[in-house]
Amino acid sequence: MSSVRPGAPAPPPPPDGQPEIALSPGFVARMTGQMRAGGWIAPLLTVVVAFFMGGLVVAATGHNPLSTYKAIFDGSGLQWLFPWTSGPDRDTAAINLQQTLLTTGPLILLGLAVGYAFRAGLFNIGGQGQYIVGSIAAVWAGSSWAGMPGWIHVILAMVLATAAGATWAGISGALRAITGANEVITTIMLNWIAIWLGVYLFGLGGPLQNNAQPDVPISNDIVHSARLPVFWGDADLQGLHIGIFVALAAAVVYWVLLNRSTKGYEARAVGFNPEAARYSGIRVGRTYVLVMATCGALAGLAGSLDVLGWQFHIATNDIQGTQLAFLGIAVALLGRNTALGTCLAALMFGALVNGTSVRNLDPAVFEPELAQNLTTVIQGLVVLFVSADVLILLIYNKLRPRRRARGGGAAGPAGDTIEVVA
Amino acid sequence: MRARSTRRAIAAIGVAGLLVAAAGCGSNNNSSSSSSTAGTSAAAPAKKAIKVGLVTDIGGLNDRSFNTLANQGLEQAKSQLGVTGRVLTSKSNADYVPNLSTLAQQKYDLVIGVGFLMADAMDTVAKKFPNTKFAIIDVDATGLKGKPTNVEGLLFKEQESGYLAGTLAALYAKDNNITTISSVGGQKIPPVDHYIAGYEAGAKAANPSIKTLHAYSQDFVDQAKCKEIALSQIARGSGVVFQVAGQCGLGALDAAKQKSKQGIGVDADQSYLGPYILTSAIKKVDTSVLDTVKQVQDDKYTGGANTTFDVKNKGAGIGKVSAAGAKYQPQLDDVTAKLAAGSITVPDTVK
Amino acid sequence: MSPQNAGAAELALELRGITKRFGALTANDAVDLQLRRGEIHALLGENGAGKSTLMSVVYGMARPDEGEILIDGEPVTIDSPREAMDRGVGMVFQHFMLIPVMTVAENLVLGAEPRKHGLLDLAGARRRTRELSDRYGLKVDPDARVSDVSVGQQQRVEILRALDRGAKILVLDEPTAVLTAQETAELAEVLRALRDAGTSIVFITHKLHEVLDVADRVTVLRRGKTIGTVDTAGADDASLARMMVGRDVVLRVEKEPGKPGQPLLELDDVHATDDRGLPAVDGVSLHVRAGEIVAVAGIDGNGQSELIDLISGLRPCTGGHVRLGGKDITNCTPRAARDAGIGHIAEDRHRRGLVLDFNLSENLALMDYREGTRFGLLKPRRMLDAASRLLHEFDVRGGSPVTPARSLSGGNQQKVVIAREISGNPDALIAAQPTRGLDVGAIEFVHRRLLAERDAGRAILLFSLELDEVRALADRIVVIYDGRIVGELPPTASDEELGLLMTGSGAGRVASS
């Protein structure tokens, strides 16, 4: 049986539509509610369209998109997975794949840090700041207490980084819960505070500046025993450390937390319908704080992986140059806030970042000047298309008009104009 | 950290530390002149055919600063010395180790890195590939933790460039009833202070009664900050403003232009900005690259030590002098000769 | 009310064999409808019977897969709402398409603004509004902002706007769903006046008494099919309900007199403010005994919502005490109130009662998801089992424990809410508008269930705007007006007695609105 409740015809906007004042509510609502709509097809389509557009850009510069993409793929090291790759190619591929996975690990965590907030109806743009305070905590812990047993030292540094990130994001959650301050604004502001905090700490004369070179605004090095063990590749030449397993484990924890824990249940209830959650006795404000703290913990952990895994110190300009967390937003969007989707999206972006590295692109295929911007272009396109994915869904549903009635004009997410009742 | 974005440029400038130079769109006119002044006669292309790799920092090739100049040096080496070269740009600090080791693995004879942030990566990779020769700009090779014997440090005496600029500024001031000259630094870090210390010493030497002002913007990017500082200096009587703050410093020069004062550029020749640029205090990164390539070809490469570029070997100095300053050329030549002869010792710290 | 002009009048609108499918779903299956010129024709059916789909076909918002539409005997195709308007079809939606910040006159001319020198002619808009208002006897204030006028007034603006566009056929989609009893009566007057002026009206509803009260003829839909068209003269509640549901329906459940025990829920001079900080509950004292249903009757907006929030811990109690079984629960958190034994069937199931994107087992667990958990992990197996049991016990149809709540019909959604609240075994149950928007079959279920819970010894506090419902369920009726209890009546009280109290007149006060 069906009753179709037609809402808005085209002309005037529905009066029951929520006023779209702030920048985030509509967007976040869409992310919270509709993220799973379209299943795996929409994200896949998004990627295909993004790469197609990227290909057009490549072609516009007078290069062959296919050979360029082939080069990027090779540069990502993913062909190591094919058994027929052998000889020196395999060695090169192994090194490239190590670099790709080195990026993938923190990206998974940063993607989860955004995704969990989305599920609770929050938009965490503060991954960057949380990552920074995490790495600050990790570099401080890892470069202090030289005599401590290695594994205790590593774990302690990661725990402190996690706690630092959680605290940092928890501030935004608390501000949201207590004063209603929009977390989009507060997380961005905390990003800047984290940046300048780091610049101060590691800058010339700063309390955490290194002892050896007073001229250089950089931290002390992580002591050798506190570095994450490298299990694949050359430990001295930035081989792959065990952080990737930490990230994968975090993805499993994320899945359990979200789908099987009471806290995740509360977060989802609040994300879908804060009013109903409040009515049923869930403490909405506390949930905001907990969710943000959890997100910050994930991002802080990501910071510790990079510091303890390959970076080993932080210079002031590393802090200002940190952009990985923003990629984390794209990862979460593409990964649909699910554990598996986030891992796959992180791998894709990791491969893209390293595949477009100039050392892997034969200058004959692509000039270095152009190659270094290609990632940015494709990345931007993916973000654009993921955001426009309601549009893609609409087109998709129009082409396949089953069960769903026509979308009522330009009605926004709150328009929810059609209700098919089975 | 590995991600990139528009802020890349910012980071880059922070990176190159200050050394940073002329941003803006003008070409660096001094590049051709520097090659001709590079000391040696134009080399015959019959030299040993070696492979030279250059790894930029995250500023990329278009930073119009260190990376651009280093690449120009490599291009000159290719055309003048017949070497083959390859540039690897770094998108993030995660690229340093892979980029350096890739070139080493591919049997490049000389691998050059740009900027002090690559120091640790250079240290590690050099230990792994003892048969490859490395060089790194702006880093003291003897200070590397692993003490590698196959890394050469390429250092500059910025204070000598600053001294010449300060001399010119003071002479100009004296004749134009100006009592005060000033400088705007980015952050108080050594290369910036080298320039400023030299600038003030040179000015005092040329005119002991001159007043000098200096201040730091704590920023290498935001032009508004440097402009504000320069305007306040001008309000306190400054007639010549020396910028030592990379892109931010362009704001200081803009202030000078707006108030009809003189400006002095830094790192690269910034005379393209207009006739109000009295001169520029420059360091010739391109020369250092070219010279190092030559050393390797001539088997004169000295790993584990530094090569310092100064006025004497024409690796530091001033750029084009404007019409307003042209009449002081004799005095400048005199100071240049004394610096080259070592009869003037320039301080490198700001009092 | 009488179909005096029925006879041989021509047909303004005729639908022949309209079929509309959505994928595997057939919303309308060869539906026929004949609307005579100058009649009020009710389209009656349960939720999901296909009434709204049919009218969206007429209004050009959905294209029929089969069948034809005739206007004034001419076959037409209607592809857009604009075409529908051009052919004289006007539609008034359940959710109004008005811009709250604009005035009535501005809204009325929106889309067809009078212009003067290229600018909006506000005086012209006002004049046009007044003319229409006079011609059809629908009083509105052209200069009032829409956000400031009542829902009933807003509906009038919608109707006037349709008439302004030249509507000869007016379709109203569940127009009374948002109205108070008083406004409903006024709407009926307006519709009769329009009919007498020659407008043909389709009136979509699932409320039987409205059909009998307002319409000349009624066409009943069930599961997408036309069951039949009858004159309202000679029809009665029971016969229409039978057509609509397909079986005999008990419209007014039989009720044994209650056997009240000890007072369970006691309110002692409680106060609360509304969202703007103004006093909304102003010293309410009442008690509900075990095994008793007390109904709070009143016109919407007299403090009922705030009173509900106050009892369930959602709004601070600024004075007085709330006790449950003798225990003071004043200003408890919502969770503590629930733990103490307050159940709460929320006023608005979409906004407050359910998480529509959760599946049914997750919704049913909203109160007790923490039960039996260890290490903070949910017990999905337990949740699913409990859900299966409750769905069966409360006869929820159209969904399994893993079906999203969104895809259920309104009646079944409400059953889920009720199942959850009752399964929590509360001492006191607050039932706020428990049958709003439900059709007769579902209403019967809800009423039976509430009475059963009463007989099981719970204290039930019922809030309802429907006087019929109040009388049908309550053991005692208290009337709320302007945040105070202004009187108590037995369930046998007449509309007039209740009405007097509800408008404040009974207590000697003057109605302010």
Side-chain angles (χ1 to χ4, degrees):
Chain A
M1 286 293 76
S2 105
S3 115
V4 176
R5 194 152 54 75
D16 57 336
Q18 288 172 2
E20 299 263 337
I21 306 161
L23 62 162
S24 74
F27 178 71
V28 174
R30 207 156 70 222
M31 289 306 122
T32 311
Q34 301 198 351
M35 279 301 270
R36 277 179 298 180
W40 51 271
I41 293 182
L44 208 66
L45 215 63
T46 303
V47 173
V48 170
V49 174
F51 275 96
F52 179 74
M53 299 302 285
L56 290 184
V57 173
V58 173
T61 62
H63 297 81
N64 180 348
L66 288 181
S67 58
T68 304
Y69 280 136
K70 171 76 167 62
I72 291 175
F73 181 77
D74 289 349
S76 72
L78 289 172
Q79 83 274 33
W80 185 86
L81 301 171
F82 301 146
W84 57 83
T85 310
S86 60
D89 282 356
R90 193 165 183 81
D91 297 340
T92 312
I95 290 173
N96 284 332
L97 189 55
Q98 289 157 20
Q99 299 309 313
T100 292
L101 295 177
L102 218 49
T103 313
T104 303
L107 265 186
I108 290 174
L109 292 169
L110 290 165
L112 298 175
V114 177
Y116 194 53
F118 270 144
R119 294 304 293 263
L122 299 169
F123 192 1
N124 177 20
I125 307 189
Q128 186 197 24
Q130 297 144 21
Y131 173 97
I132 289 172
V133 295
S135 52
I136 289 173
V139 86
W140 173 70
S143 61
S144 312
W145 312 310
M148 191 181 280
W151 62 274
I152 297 182
H153 204 169
V154 172
I155 291 173
L156 180 68
M158 296 201 324
V159 166
L160 286 176
T162 305
T167 308
W168 208 248
I171 295 171
S172 290
L175 286 173
R176 168 75 189 251
I178 297 163
T179 70
N182 191 318
E183 75 285 353
V184 172
I185 310 292
T186 58
T187 53
I188 290 176
M189 297 200 297
L190 283 167
N191 283 347
W192 286 104
I193 295 172
I195 287 173
W196 294 113
L197 178 69
V199 169
Y200 161 72
L201 289 174
F202 304 125
L204 297 185
L208 294 184
Q209 200 209 345
N210 75 97
N211 310 323
Q213 301 161 279
D215 293 356
V216 184
I218 200 167
S219 71
N220 277 317
D221 283 2
I222 302 285
V223 302
H224 276 87
S225 59
R227 297 181 178 185
L228 285 164
V230 168
F231 70 95
W232 189 24
D234 191 321
D236 289 331
L237 297 182
Q238 218 164 289
L240 183 60
H241 59 78
I242 58 169
I244 184 80
F245 298 118
V246 175
L248 290 173
V252 174
V253 171
Y254 174 89
W255 185 88
V256 173
L257 179 70
L258 190 64
N259 298 299
R260 286 285 180 272
S261 82
T262 53
K263 292 297 163 215
Y265 175 89
E266 289 169 2
R268 285 183 294 136
V270 168
F272 283 135
N273 190 342
E275 184 95 338
R278 198 166 81 92
Y279 265 66
S280 56
I282 293 173
R283 275 171 284 190
V284 176
R286 212 174 72 144
T287 302
Y288 283 147
V289 178
L290 277 177
V291 166
M292 285 305 290
T294 308
C295 292
L298 290 163
L301 185 60
S304 74
L305 292 190
D306 277 345
V307 164
L308 302 172
W310 60 268
Q311 206 170 319
F312 308 135
H313 49 68
I314 305 175
T316 51
N317 72 292
D318 290 339
I319 288 175
Q320 289 167 310
T322 300
Q323 297 296 322
L324 201 60
F326 290 113
L327 208 46
I329 297 175
V331 167
L333 291 176
L334 188 62
R336 296 303 163 112
N337 308 335
T338 64
L340 182 62
T342 301
C343 289
L344 292 175
L347 179 62
M348 195 205 83
F349 276 107
L352 196 57
V353 166
N354 287 283
T356 51
S357 175
V358 174
R359 66 179 168 276
N360 295 316
L361 281 182
D362 187 340
V365 175
F366 221 97
E367 296 88 335
E369 287 86 346
L370 286 172
Q372 67 178 356
N373 294 321
L374 190 67
T375 336
T376 318
V377 170
I378 292 179
Q379 200 176 301
L381 286 168
V382 170
V383 173
L384 179 75
F385 281 101
V386 171
S387 312
D389 124 306
V390 171
L391 192 73
I392 292 178
L393 267 183
L394 195 86
I395 296 167
Y396 174 75
N397 284 332
K398 270 229 175 335
L399 295 177
R400 232 177 109 263
R402 289 235 322 260
R403 281 190 82 74
R404 279 202 176 247
R406 17 182 300 140
D416 192 18
T417 51
I418 300 294
E419 186 178 73
V420 178
V421 180
Chain B
M1 227 157 262
R2 286 159 225 160
R4 35 190 301 111
S5 87
T6 53
R7 283 256 303 293
R8 215 163 27 91
I10 300 174
I13 286 167
V15 171
L18 47 113
L19 323 173
V20 188
C25 44
S27 60
N28 295 296
N29 300 332
N30 66 323
S31 57
S32 55
S33 69
S34 70
S35 61
S36 62
T37 59
T40 21
S41 56
K47 297 253 183 183
K48 249 198 295 181
I50 61 168
K51 284 162 63 176
V52 180
L54 176 70
V55 178
T56 73
D57 70 16
I58 60 180
L61 281 180
N62 305 320
D63 67 348
R64 300 199 176 278
S65 168
F66 254 39
N67 293 315
T68 308
L69 288 171
N71 191 38
Q72 280 170 4
L74 181 61
E75 289 298 322
Q76 289 161 24
K78 274 155 78 175
S79 62
Q80 293 174 25
L81 305 176
V83 302
T84 51
R86 179 163 182 200
V87 184
L88 295 188
T89 52
S90 305
K91 283 189 297 195
S92 77
N93 49 5
D95 281 331
Y96 295 155
V97 166
N99 280 350
L100 292 169
S101 58
T102 297
L103 291 171
Q105 263 160 352
Q106 293 176 359
K107 306 278 183 236
Y108 276 70
D109 300 276
L110 172 63
V111 177
I112 301 173
V114 177
F116 68 77
L117 286 163
M118 225 179 285
D120 280 348
M122 181 68 82
D123 194 6
T124 320
V125 175
K127 293 296 252 186
K128 276 276 162 182
F129 298 94
N131 297 323
T132 304
K133 298 181 175 66
F134 293 90
I136 181 162
I137 293 166
D138 250 17
V139 173
D140 178 356
T142 63
L144 292 178
K145 293 163 197 152
K147 307 286 175 207
T149 54
N150 54 336
V151 176
E152 180 177 331
L154 308 180
L155 300 175
F156 296 85
K157 284 197 172 166
E158 293 91 355
Q159 60 270 32
E160 295 190 354
S161 303
Y163 193 89
L164 279 167
T167 303
L168 179 56
L171 292 173
Y172 172 85
K174 201 175 193 174
D175 289 353
N176 291 279
N177 293 322
I178 295 167
T179 59
T180 309
I181 63 168
S182 63
S183 50
V184 179
Q187 280 176 329
K188 187 176 169 54
I189 52 178
V192 167
D193 270 7
H194 292 173
Y195 273 123
I196 294 176
Y199 177 69
E200 299 193 341
K204 293 276 188 203
N207 175 6
S209 66
I210 195 93
K211 256 179 74 186
T212 57
L213 302 170
H214 63 257
Y216 301 91
S217 66
Q218 305 300 338
D219 195 310
F220 285 104
V221 184
D222 186 354
Q223 299 196 9
K225 288 186 188 164
C226 285
K227 183 169 184 175
E228 193 184 319
I229 291 173
L231 285 173
S232 92
Q233 290 174 341
I234 290 168
R236 290 166 62 192
S238 173
V240 183
V241 178
F242 177 30
Q243 80 104 332
V244 198
Q247 192 149 7
C248 174
L250 295 178
L253 297 181
D254 194 39
K257 182 184 182 186
Q258 194 179 315
K259 297 284 178 188
S260 304
K261 306 295 179 192
Q262 297 291 309
I264 297 177
V266 77
D267 283 349
D269 193 324
Q270 297 182 318
S271 59
Y272 64 88
L273 288 171
Y276 69 100
I277 301 296
L278 194 57
T279 188
S280 305
I282 61 180
K283 53 202 273 189
K284 293 178 179 164
V285 174
D286 48 351
T287 303
S288 71
V289 170
L290 183 65
D291 281 5
T292 308
V293 173
K294 207 172 303 165
Q295 282 179 357
V296 172
Q297 273 189 327
D298 297 346
D299 287 327
K300 288 179 184 162
Y301 170 86
T302 52
N306 299 319
T307 301
T308 304
F309 294 85
D310 52 16
V311 167
K312 186 179 177 187
N313 62 16
K314 300 195 165 62
I318 52 173
K320 187 167 175 272
V321 176
S322 73
K327 64 174 170 174
Y328 308 111
Q329 196 60 50
Q331 289 98 313
L332 289 173
D333 289 345
D334 181 48
V335 173
T336 304
K338 283 182 181 159
L339 286 170
S343 58
I344 302 174
T345 313
V346 185
D348 64 357
T349 52
V350 177
K351 285 181 280 292
Chain C
M1 206 189 293
S2 58
Q4 68 269 52
N5 53 356
E10 286 176 69
L11 295 181
L13 171 72
E14 185 176 9
L15 304 180
R16 290 187 188 156
I18 297 289
T19 298
K20 177 69 193 170
R21 298 184 196 91
F22 295 109
L25 212 75
T26 306
N28 290 146
D29 188 359
V31 173
D32 297 324
L33 177 81
Q34 295 182 329
L35 174 67
R36 292 176 188 159
R37 196 161 290 161
E39 74 165 344
I40 300 176
H41 194 117
L43 191 54
L44 179 69
E46 289 192 283
N47 287 325
K51 309 181 295 281
S52 295
T53 303
L54 189 64
M55 286 305 114
S56 67
V57 165
V58 172
Y59 199 53
M61 293 177 33
R63 192 186 276 226
D65 298 311
E66 287 162 35
E68 55 180 346
I69 304 171
L70 292 85
I71 291 180
D72 292 332
E74 296 277 316
V76 294
T77 56
I78 302 176
D79 286 333
S80 70
R82 184 156 292 275
E83 261 182 72
M85 282 183 232
D86 290 346
R87 297 191 184 282
V89 179
M91 182 121 178
V92 175
F93 293 97
Q94 204 171 349
H95 299 279
F96 304 144
M97 310 292 160
L98 299 175
I99 299 176
V101 297
M102 289 191 178
T103 65
V104 166
E106 284 165 343
N107 267 290
L108 192 123
V109 298
L110 200 71
E113 303 89 352
R115 280 164 209 278
K116 205 180 207 174
H117 315 304
L119 297 173
L120 176 62
D121 177 10
L122 268 179
R126 242 177 262 133
R127 201 176 328 112
R128 213 157 92 196
T129 307
R130 234 174 258 120
E131 278 169 21
L132 277 168
S133 167
D134 290 348
R135 174 155 20 124
Y136 293 103
L138 277 80
K139 276 198 217 101
V140 291
D141 174 2
D143 296 318
R145 277 188 187 209
V146 162
S147 54
D148 295 339
V149 304
S150 71
V151 173
Q153 290 274 321
Q154 292 180 20
Q155 192 173 55
R156 286 183 183 190
V157 178
E158 284 277 13
I159 293 172
L160 284 174
R161 183 156 74 178
L163 295 171
D164 180 56
R165 304 292 185 280
K168 301 277 184 296
I169 299 164
L170 195 59
V171 181
L172 298 106
D173 188 6
E174 308 236 1
T176 58
V178 292
L179 300 184
T180 63
Q182 178 65 29
E183 285 170 330
T184 302
E186 287 170 16
L187 177 69
E189 283 308 313
V190 167
L191 294 184
R192 284 187 200 106
L194 287 176
R195 173 194 63 193
D196 295 342
T199 311
S200 316
I201 296 168
V202 179
F203 181 99
I204 300 175
T205 186
H206 57 241
K207 295 182 185 167
L208 300 173
H209 64 93
E210 287 172 3
V211 172
L212 295 171
D213 189 31
V214 182
D216 303 312
R217 294 197 305 154
V218 53
T219 295
V220 180
L221 290 187
R222 191 169 76 222
R223 303 189 179 189
K225 293 198 171 87
T226 312
I227 301 304
T229 301
V230 295
D231 288 347
T232 48
D236 61 22
D237 279 1
S239 65
L240 288 179
R242 199 181 309 114
M243 285 175 77
M244 189 168 144
V245 184
R247 63 181 165 85
D248 284 321
V249 180
V250 179
L251 293 171
R252 181 156 180 165
V253 291
E254 289 304 315
K255 173 175 73 171
E256 298 287 317
K259 300 180 191 68
Q262 290 300 308
L264 271 181
L265 178 66
E266 294 168 277
L267 305 183
D268 181 11
D269 191 32
V270 293
H271 289 74
T273 56
D274 65 13
D275 292 336
R276 293 168 300 172
L278 303 174
V281 177
D282 191 12
V284 168
S285 297
L286 61 83
H287 66 271
V288 189
R289 291 170 291 185
E292 177 183 50
I293 295 181
V294 173
V296 178
I299 294 169
D300 203 8
N302 273 287
Q304 294 97 319
S305 300
E306 289 81 2
L307 185 57
I308 294 166
D309 287 358
L310 179 153
I311 299 169
S312 45
L314 293 156
R315 188 177 291 271
C317 177
T318 55
H321 292 279
V322 183
R323 286 189 204 84
L324 184 66
K327 193 178 154 224
D328 194 324
I329 60 163
T330 317
N331 281 327
C332 276
T333 62
R335 178 165 282 171
R338 288 190 177 279
D339 290 347
I342 300 274
H344 180 184
I345 299 169
E347 204 169 351
D348 182 335
R349 61 181 165 270
H350 285 182
R351 274 183 56 221
R352 297 172 166 177
L354 292 168
V355 178
L356 290 175
D357 294 291
F358 265 6
N359 67 33
L360 297 183
S361 83
E362 288 169 319
N363 266 299
L364 285 165
L366 265 173
M367 306 309 154
D368 64 356
Y369 60 93
R370 291 180 305 169
E371 214 163 84
T373 54
R374 275 203 302 172
F375 313 117
L377 295 182
L378 296 172
K379 296 270 179 191
R381 172 56 49 198
R382 188 192 66 78
M383 282 164 60
L384 290 172
D385 289 347
S388 304
R389 194 166 37 75
L390 286 172
L391 294 183
H392 178 76
E393 184 188 337
F394 286 82
D395 192 32
V396 178
R397 297 182 193 178
S400 72
V402 294
T403 310
R406 188 179 289 286
S407 65
L408 288 193
S409 69
N412 283 307
Q413 287 176 344
Q414 189 70 347
K415 287 181 187 172
V416 172
V417 174
I418 291 170
R420 179 183 69 212
E421 296 303 329
I422 289 176
S423 70
N425 196 23
D427 292 331
L429 183 62
I430 301 167
Q433 317 299 345
T435 59
R436 178 184 277 182
L438 302 191
D439 51 52
V440 283
I443 290 172
E444 179 193 354
F445 178 91
V446 172
H447 284 179
R448 279 187 193 285
R449 192 73 212 199
L450 287 176
L451 286 171
E453 296 307 318
R454 177 198 73 171
D455 294 341
R458 302 192 206 281
I460 297 178
L461 187 59
L462 170 74
F463 289 81
S464 179
L465 301 175
E466 305 273 349
L467 294 184
D468 285 347
E469 177 166 276
V470 167
R471 272 192 294 257
L473 295 179
D475 296 303
R476 288 188 291 135
I477 302 173
V478 296
V479 176
I480 191 167
Y481 173 76
D482 203 13
R484 292 166 208 230
I485 301 296
V486 291
E488 180 176 331
L489 295 167
T492 50
S494 69
D495 272 8
E496 288 69 29
E497 288 173 282
L498 281 166
L500 220 54
L501 282 175
M502 284 163 63
T503 52
S505 322
R509 289 197 189 84
V510 180
S512 57
S513 55

